[in-house]
Amino acid sequence: MIYILTGGPATGKGTRSDILANALEIPHISTGDMLRNVAKKNLEIREKLSNGELISDEIITDLLEQRILENDCKEGFVLDGYPRTLKQAELLDVLLAKYGRAVTKVMELTIPDELAFKRILGRSKCTHCGASYGIDFPPKRKGRCDICGGHLAVRTDDTAETLSKRIETYRENSKPILDYYRDKGILMTVDASAHPERVVEEAQMEI
Ligand code: AMP
């Protein structure tokens, strides 16, 4: 069971991936989260993330290989944020084939651009416990975490300017990737404006 959830910024890839991963009892692998972790110790990656630039295919694919070899990925995983280029889609197939595995299904999440802006500019994360907040689930006290009272911070790449760039980069890069998976007969397009829980049912539907 290897699912890929793809879509532009703020389409809810993270939320849906979590729901699906929990339901199937497999890990959710977010390359964005993996890179934000690496960025804590690596200035070059930190700068690229802040500018909304993509990290090189080699670096990210290496990180991914290390992650999927971990024990909890034996039964499968839900991948979010990867592949972002056609080259990455091809590298992923080579990587999986090396271990006798293949992608099960690719789910493309779509939302109107206006909703992406509304969601992105309203989201924040607790710097202490990592809890997330957004327009649909704001904190009770502004700037403070409901769970631990920690300070809420917005991601450095969550600005209107960077968001436009990320949407544009996604559109440019996603077309050949989506065509690649459509040709393989494993692509499903999903309206991600609401009902994130539907992802579990959609993952099991025939294409
Ligand atoms: P995300 O959390 O998925 O929106 O990713 C945040 C940032 O991490 C992106 O804007 C990129 O700079 C970087 N990133 C995440 N996944 C990849 C990837 N597969 N390839 C290259 N860069 C990535």
Side-chain angles (χ1 to χ4, degrees):
M1 288 185 298
I2 298 178
Y3 289 95
I4 294 177
L5 267 66
T6 180
T11 46
K13 298 186 295 279
T15 308
R16 278 180 168 72
S17 299
D18 271 342
I19 294 173
L20 183 60
N22 279 336
L24 301 178
E25 299 182 358
I26 53 180
H28 163 199
I29 302 177
S30 153
T31 50
D33 283 349
M34 273 168 45
L35 287 167
R36 277 184 286 281
N37 244 337
V38 175
K40 287 179 192 159
K41 296 185 210 135
N42 183 316
L43 180 65
E44 199 186 325
I45 293 198
R46 191 153 66 234
E47 282 179 356
K48 286 202 163 143
L49 293 193
S50 299
N51 293 330
E53 282 172 47
L54 289 183
I55 305 304
S56 82
D57 292 339
E58 288 68 26
I59 294 180
I60 184 72
T61 307
D62 266 5
L63 283 171
L64 187 63
E65 179 164 16
Q66 289 165 32
R67 178 66 188 91
I68 68 172
L69 288 178
E70 284 176 38
N71 221 15
D72 61 341
C73 293
K74 259 199 194 136
E75 299 298 322
F77 49 89
V78 177
L79 192 52
D80 135 34
Y82 186 106
R84 270 192 166 74
T85 62
L86 180 60
K87 174 94 185 294
Q88 289 185 4
E90 292 166 349
L91 285 170
L92 178 64
D93 279 348
V94 173
L95 174 62
L96 293 176
K98 201 163 121 185
Y99 302 103
R101 309 179 82 173
V103 176
T104 311
K105 193 188 251 189
V106 178
M107 304 176 80
E108 190 208 8
L109 309 178
T110 57
I111 56 165
D113 283 358
E114 308 82 74
L115 185 57
F117 275 88
K118 222 168 127 187
R119 280 185 179 168
I120 285 268
L121 302 177
R123 74 182 181 185
S124 57
K125 202 169 184 157
C126 176
T127 50
H128 184 64
C129 75
S132 295
Y133 297 89
I135 48 165
D136 301 325
F137 35 93
K140 293 194 181 84
R141 264 194 308 155
K142 198 165 179 267
R144 289 284 163 194
C145 179
D146 291 354
I147 301 166
C148 72
H151 172 69
L152 300 185
V154 291
R155 264 169 52 176
T156 51
D157 58 349
D158 279 353
T159 61
E161 199 190 20
T162 307
L163 177 60
S164 301
K165 188 164 171 193
R166 283 159 67 199
I167 292 179
E168 199 185 302
T169 308
Y170 173 75
R171 294 232 163 93
E172 270 169 28
N173 291 330
S174 69
K175 196 182 171 308
I177 303 174
L178 297 175
D179 290 344
Y180 178 81
Y181 289 125
R182 194 175 293 111
D183 288 349
K184 288 177 176 273
I186 55 172
L187 178 71
M188 174 183 256
T189 301
V190 171
D191 170 9
S193 303
H195 307 303
E197 305 74 21
R198 285 207 55 208
V199 67
V200 181
E201 203 185 302
E202 286 160 351
Q204 277 141 17
M205 273 182 199
E206 293 276 323
I207 292 172

